[in-house]
Amino acid sequence: MEFWGLEVQPGKTVKVNPGENKYLHLSQASLGEIKDKGNDRVPIFVKFDNRKLVLGTLSAGNCAQIQYDLLFEKEFELSHGSKNTSIYFVGYKTEAQGDYDLYPFDICYQIIC
């Protein structure tokens, strides 16, 4: 197991590649420091296979972090809708198993906030 983390700055999209014969388990997304503490809601996006999905919405007052149990086996992109703060993603990488019946889906998810 290898721990993993990433900062996505405002207005940027970051490509993530789990690596050959590896899975990336995305565990959490968190708001960075917010200078303007208004009611700023920040949508978080993932793009894979030409599909862009919303993973959730962060808010400094209500939900500054979201826990996930997402599993990626191929390259994907992370982005968000904030103009004034970074979003930090953490998780871990594991070796891919030869028995693909353990992970029947490209993405398995459970969102808790």
Side-chain angles (χ1 to χ4, degrees):
M1 183 169 64
E2 171 187 342
F3 291 103
W4 172 87
L6 175 70
E7 175 185 4
V8 179
Q9 297 178 346
K12 304 287 183 185
T13 297
V14 177
K15 287 187 179 184
V16 179
N17 190 335
E20 189 156 335
N21 297 318
K22 291 193 176 188
Y23 295 121
L24 189 142
H25 300 257
L26 183 61
S27 302
Q28 182 173 305
S30 303
L31 279 173
E33 181 180 347
I34 297 178
K35 296 171 181 121
D36 178 17
K37 300 236 186 224
N39 196 7
D40 195 17
R41 299 172 56 91
V42 179
I44 300 170
F45 305 102
V46 63
K47 183 177 179 183
F48 63 98
D49 291 339
N50 293 321
R51 293 180 285 185
K52 188 172 183 179
L53 304 173
V54 176
L55 290 178
T57 302
L58 295 172
S59 171
N62 297 323
C63 185
Q65 62 186 13
I66 300 174
Q67 294 180 351
Y68 299 103
D69 188 11
L70 298 173
L71 176 69
F72 296 92
E73 64 179 2
K74 49 188 166 177
E75 186 176 83
F76 62 98
E77 296 178 2
L78 291 169
S79 62
H80 59 84
S82 177
K83 294 183 170 117
N84 58 16
T85 189
S86 292
I87 302 297
Y88 296 90
F89 295 91
V90 294
Y92 59 97
K93 291 183 180 183
T94 59
E95 295 293 323
Q97 302 291 323
D99 183 5
Y100 289 100
D101 291 337
L102 295 174
Y103 300 105
F105 306 107
D106 286 344
I107 296 181
C108 305
Y109 66 91
Q110 174 185 14
I111 300 175
I112 302 170
C113 185

